Amino acid sequence: MSSATRSEGRLDSATRILDAAYELFSHEGVVTVGVDRIADAAGVAKMTLYRHFSSKEELVLAFLALRGRRWSREWLQAETERRAPTPAHRALTVFEVLDDWFRDPEYEGCTFLRTLYEVPDPEAPVRRAALDEIASIRATLDGWARDAGAAEPEAVGGELHLLMMGAIAAAVGGDQDAARRAARVAATRLPA
């Protein structure tokens, strides 16, 4: 076997591990899912998992970064920007995107918020990583409030963020209309 083939095999197994962790952590949380289940789901030996990720914490950190890329940027941000007729409409369009997500039978809630509940230690790297991803979403909302012409974009962005997080929590409890109600409140904070 050539070194290139061995390298591809390692990359492939690392990708399979991270993809398996992504699915399990997204739906069940980062604390309850063990490395044995992830290794089984990825079709690798536990030692292979530890060769790529030295600890479960390292795997969770990689998952949170991937979730931030896939969910926050490649889906939520990109889909909002695609649907909004102009940048000024993004601050409200995000709630349309959330509405569709809440109605998906696979809706799993916010991984970053769930991680904060699961990992209460303020010094834990996993908790800090989840907070960083939440802050990134908040920064995006601040920018969209600015694009919408809000007089105090950071304040309005913070309000949009609270509405978004509240709607996500309400949807976890079964309220599929939470994003629509949040959008109505958000509209009162944005220039007409």
Side-chain angles (χ1 to χ4, degrees):
M1 181 184 303
S2 73
S3 62
T5 304
R6 280 193 302 273
S7 177
E8 287 173 13
R10 282 191 202 113
L11 178 61
D12 184 54
S13 60
T15 300
R16 287 195 329 265
I17 292 164
L18 191 52
D19 285 345
Y22 188 93
E23 288 303 312
L24 291 167
F25 289 155
S26 292
H27 290 91
E28 298 179 35
V30 299
V31 171
T32 60
V33 176
V35 293
D36 290 328
R37 278 193 63 208
I38 295 166
D40 286 346
V44 300
K46 195 167 156 181
M47 288 302 296
T48 302
L49 184 147
Y50 281 120
R51 227 181 358 259
H52 294 292
F53 302 95
S54 64
S55 64
K56 181 180 176 185
E57 179 178 76
E58 185 179 319
L59 180 56
V60 171
L61 291 170
F63 156 70
L64 290 172
L66 182 60
R67 182 72 174 184
R69 189 189 84 214
R70 284 184 182 171
W71 187 89
S72 301
R73 290 175 285 289
E74 293 176 359
W75 178 73
L76 182 66
Q77 184 176 347
E79 184 62 13
T80 298
E81 291 173 358
R82 185 189 70 76
R83 288 187 193 189
T86 68
H89 290 90
R90 292 175 182 158
L92 289 179
T93 302
V94 69
F95 293 100
E96 292 174 22
V97 176
L98 291 173
D99 184 60
D100 288 348
W101 182 43
F102 296 168
R103 294 171 192 290
D104 185 327
E106 297 282 319
Y107 175 68
E108 71 273 26
C110 178
T111 295
F112 308 123
L113 290 175
R114 183 183 315 122
T115 299
L116 294 181
Y117 291 122
E118 289 183 296
V119 183
D121 177 3
E123 302 302 316
V126 166
R127 184 178 178 85
R128 287 194 306 270
L131 286 169
D132 288 347
E133 291 297 340
I134 290 170
S136 176
I137 294 166
R138 163 67 194 272
T140 298
L141 292 169
D142 289 353
W144 289 345
R146 190 174 302 105
D147 292 345
E152 298 176 350
E154 287 77 21
V156 173
E159 292 166 356
L160 295 173
H161 197 227
L162 286 172
L163 288 167
M164 180 180 173
M165 290 191 302
I168 288 169
V172 168
D175 182 357
Q176 288 187 330
D177 293 323
R180 292 177 183 186
R181 279 193 298 286
R184 286 194 296 272
V185 175
T188 68
R189 296 296 294 135
L190 295 163

mmCIF file of all heavy atoms in Angstrom, residues 57-73:
data_model
loop_
_atom_site.group_PDB
_atom_site.id
_atom_site.type_symbol
_atom_site.label_atom_id
_atom_site.label_comp_id
_atom_site.label_asym_id
_atom_site.label_seq_id
_atom_site.Cartn_x
_atom_site.Cartn_y
_atom_site.Cartn_z
ATOM 1 N N GLU A 57 -13.174 14.770 24.094
ATOM 2 C CA GLU A 57 -13.260 16.228 24.060
ATOM 3 C C GLU A 57 -12.760 16.782 22.729
ATOM 4 O O GLU A 57 -13.392 17.672 22.149
ATOM 5 C CB GLU A 57 -12.456 16.836 25.215
ATOM 6 C CG GLU A 57 -12.489 18.356 25.227
ATOM 7 C CD GLU A 57 -11.726 18.930 26.403
ATOM 8 O OE1 GLU A 57 -10.471 18.923 26.344
ATOM 9 O OE2 GLU A 57 -12.381 19.365 27.352
ATOM 10 N N GLU A 58 -11.664 16.244 22.229
ATOM 11 C CA GLU A 58 -11.144 16.700 20.936
ATOM 12 C C GLU A 58 -12.151 16.423 19.818
ATOM 13 O O GLU A 58 -12.356 17.249 18.927
ATOM 14 C CB GLU A 58 -9.814 16.016 20.627
ATOM 15 C CG GLU A 58 -9.157 16.527 19.360
ATOM 16 C CD GLU A 58 -7.823 15.856 19.080
ATOM 17 O OE1 GLU A 58 -7.032 15.644 20.024
ATOM 18 O OE2 GLU A 58 -7.583 15.538 17.894
ATOM 19 N N LEU A 59 -12.814 15.273 19.884
ATOM 20 C CA LEU A 59 -13.830 14.933 18.892
ATOM 21 C C LEU A 59 -15.030 15.879 19.004
ATOM 22 O O LEU A 59 -15.556 16.345 17.992
ATOM 23 C CB LEU A 59 -14.269 13.476 19.063
ATOM 24 C CG LEU A 59 -15.334 12.957 18.097
ATOM 25 C CD1 LEU A 59 -14.910 13.131 16.641
ATOM 26 C CD2 LEU A 59 -15.649 11.500 18.414
ATOM 27 N N VAL A 60 -15.460 16.187 20.229
ATOM 28 C CA VAL A 60 -16.582 17.102 20.416
ATOM 29 C C VAL A 60 -16.218 18.490 19.881
ATOM 30 O O VAL A 60 -17.036 19.147 19.229
ATOM 31 C CB VAL A 60 -17.022 17.162 21.894
ATOM 32 C CG1 VAL A 60 -18.047 18.270 22.120
ATOM 33 C CG2 VAL A 60 -17.586 15.818 22.337
ATOM 34 N N LEU A 61 -15.005 18.946 20.131
ATOM 35 C CA LEU A 61 -14.574 20.252 19.616
ATOM 36 C C LEU A 61 -14.590 20.266 18.089
ATOM 37 O O LEU A 61 -15.032 21.252 17.476
ATOM 38 C CB LEU A 61 -13.191 20.613 20.152
ATOM 39 C CG LEU A 61 -13.133 20.921 21.644
ATOM 40 C CD1 LEU A 61 -11.682 21.016 22.118
ATOM 41 C CD2 LEU A 61 -13.899 22.193 21.969
ATOM 42 N N ALA A 62 -14.131 19.178 17.472
ATOM 43 C CA ALA A 62 -14.162 19.084 16.009
ATOM 44 C C ALA A 62 -15.606 19.080 15.509
ATOM 45 O O ALA A 62 -15.935 19.727 14.500
ATOM 46 C CB ALA A 62 -13.427 17.831 15.542
ATOM 47 N N PHE A 63 -16.473 18.382 16.215
ATOM 48 C CA PHE A 63 -17.896 18.361 15.863
ATOM 49 C C PHE A 63 -18.501 19.762 15.946
ATOM 50 O O PHE A 63 -19.217 20.187 15.030
ATOM 51 C CB PHE A 63 -18.660 17.409 16.784
ATOM 52 C CG PHE A 63 -20.115 17.730 16.901
ATOM 53 C CD1 PHE A 63 -20.978 17.524 15.842
ATOM 54 C CD2 PHE A 63 -20.629 18.263 18.082
ATOM 55 C CE1 PHE A 63 -22.332 17.842 15.944
ATOM 56 C CE2 PHE A 63 -21.970 18.580 18.197
ATOM 57 C CZ PHE A 63 -22.828 18.369 17.127
ATOM 58 N N LEU A 64 -18.241 20.489 17.028
ATOM 59 C CA LEU A 64 -18.817 21.832 17.185
ATOM 60 C C LEU A 64 -18.341 22.766 16.069
ATOM 61 O O LEU A 64 -19.128 23.555 15.545
ATOM 62 C CB LEU A 64 -18.488 22.404 18.563
ATOM 63 C CG LEU A 64 -19.209 21.734 19.738
ATOM 64 C CD1 LEU A 64 -18.650 22.250 21.054
ATOM 65 C CD2 LEU A 64 -20.711 21.928 19.665
ATOM 66 N N ALA A 65 -17.080 22.659 15.702
ATOM 67 C CA ALA A 65 -16.562 23.478 14.599
ATOM 68 C C ALA A 65 -17.254 23.100 13.287
ATOM 69 O O ALA A 65 -17.634 23.973 12.493
ATOM 70 C CB ALA A 65 -15.054 23.325 14.483
ATOM 71 N N LEU A 66 -17.437 21.801 13.066
ATOM 72 C CA LEU A 66 -18.114 21.340 11.856
ATOM 73 C C LEU A 66 -19.578 21.772 11.861
ATOM 74 O O LEU A 66 -20.114 22.206 10.832
ATOM 75 C CB LEU A 66 -18.004 19.815 11.734
ATOM 76 C CG LEU A 66 -18.618 19.179 10.496
ATOM 77 C CD1 LEU A 66 -17.970 19.713 9.215
ATOM 78 C CD2 LEU A 66 -18.499 17.656 10.581
ATOM 79 N N ARG A 67 -20.217 21.686 13.004
ATOM 80 C CA ARG A 67 -21.624 22.113 13.111
ATOM 81 C C ARG A 67 -21.730 23.613 12.824
ATOM 82 O O ARG A 67 -22.664 24.057 12.153
ATOM 83 C CB ARG A 67 -22.162 21.788 14.506
ATOM 84 C CG ARG A 67 -23.619 22.128 14.721
ATOM 85 C CD ARG A 67 -24.537 21.197 13.995
ATOM 86 N NE ARG A 67 -25.927 21.488 14.370
ATOM 87 C CZ ARG A 67 -26.955 20.796 13.968
ATOM 88 N NH1 ARG A 67 -26.784 19.756 13.176
ATOM 89 N NH2 ARG A 67 -28.172 21.105 14.349
ATOM 90 N N GLY A 68 -20.781 24.385 13.331
ATOM 91 C CA GLY A 68 -20.772 25.817 13.051
ATOM 92 C C GLY A 68 -20.644 26.094 11.566
ATOM 93 O O GLY A 68 -21.310 26.978 11.024
ATOM 94 N N ARG A 69 -19.790 25.328 10.903
ATOM 95 C CA ARG A 69 -19.626 25.515 9.462
ATOM 96 C C ARG A 69 -20.869 25.046 8.705
ATOM 97 O O ARG A 69 -21.443 25.790 7.916
ATOM 98 C CB ARG A 69 -18.396 24.750 8.965
ATOM 99 C CG ARG A 69 -18.050 25.095 7.508
ATOM 100 C CD ARG A 69 -16.984 24.212 6.922
ATOM 101 N NE ARG A 69 -17.669 23.008 6.441
ATOM 102 C CZ ARG A 69 -17.162 21.793 6.462
ATOM 103 N NH1 ARG A 69 -15.971 21.573 6.941
ATOM 104 N NH2 ARG A 69 -17.840 20.770 6.011
ATOM 105 N N ARG A 70 -21.298 23.802 8.962
ATOM 106 C CA ARG A 70 -22.411 23.227 8.197
ATOM 107 C C ARG A 70 -23.742 23.894 8.506
ATOM 108 O O ARG A 70 -24.504 24.218 7.603
ATOM 109 C CB ARG A 70 -22.550 21.724 8.493
ATOM 110 C CG ARG A 70 -21.535 20.859 7.823
ATOM 111 C CD ARG A 70 -21.842 19.401 8.112
ATOM 112 N NE ARG A 70 -20.854 18.523 7.525
ATOM 113 C CZ ARG A 70 -20.791 17.224 7.760
ATOM 114 N NH1 ARG A 70 -21.662 16.648 8.583
ATOM 115 N NH2 ARG A 70 -19.865 16.498 7.198
ATOM 116 N N TRP A 71 -24.052 24.026 9.792
ATOM 117 C CA TRP A 71 -25.373 24.519 10.166
ATOM 118 C C TRP A 71 -25.421 26.043 10.136
ATOM 119 O O TRP A 71 -26.267 26.614 9.482
ATOM 120 C CB TRP A 71 -25.771 24.000 11.557
ATOM 121 C CG TRP A 71 -27.185 24.346 11.904
ATOM 122 C CD1 TRP A 71 -28.304 23.600 11.628
ATOM 123 C CD2 TRP A 71 -27.655 25.534 12.552
ATOM 124 N NE1 TRP A 71 -29.426 24.261 12.064
ATOM 125 C CE2 TRP A 71 -29.060 25.460 12.645
ATOM 126 C CE3 TRP A 71 -27.024 26.658 13.066
ATOM 127 C CZ2 TRP A 71 -29.842 26.445 13.224
ATOM 128 C CZ3 TRP A 71 -27.802 27.655 13.645
ATOM 129 C CH2 TRP A 71 -29.192 27.539 13.720
ATOM 130 N N SER A 72 -24.515 26.692 10.846
ATOM 131 C CA SER A 72 -24.597 28.155 10.988
ATOM 132 C C SER A 72 -24.290 28.885 9.692
ATOM 133 O O SER A 72 -25.021 29.797 9.310
ATOM 134 C CB SER A 72 -23.625 28.640 12.071
ATOM 135 O OG SER A 72 -23.907 28.036 13.302
ATOM 136 N N ARG A 73 -23.198 28.488 9.022
ATOM 137 C CA ARG A 73 -22.765 29.251 7.853
ATOM 138 C C ARG A 73 -23.284 28.670 6.539
ATOM 139 O O ARG A 73 -23.883 29.383 5.740
ATOM 140 C CB ARG A 73 -21.248 29.378 7.857
ATOM 141 C CG ARG A 73 -20.779 30.308 8.995
ATOM 142 C CD ARG A 73 -19.283 30.411 9.146
ATOM 143 N NE ARG A 73 -18.626 29.261 9.753
ATOM 144 C CZ ARG A 73 -18.727 28.913 11.046
ATOM 145 N NH1 ARG A 73 -19.490 29.594 11.862
ATOM 146 N NH2 ARG A 73 -18.066 27.879 11.514
#
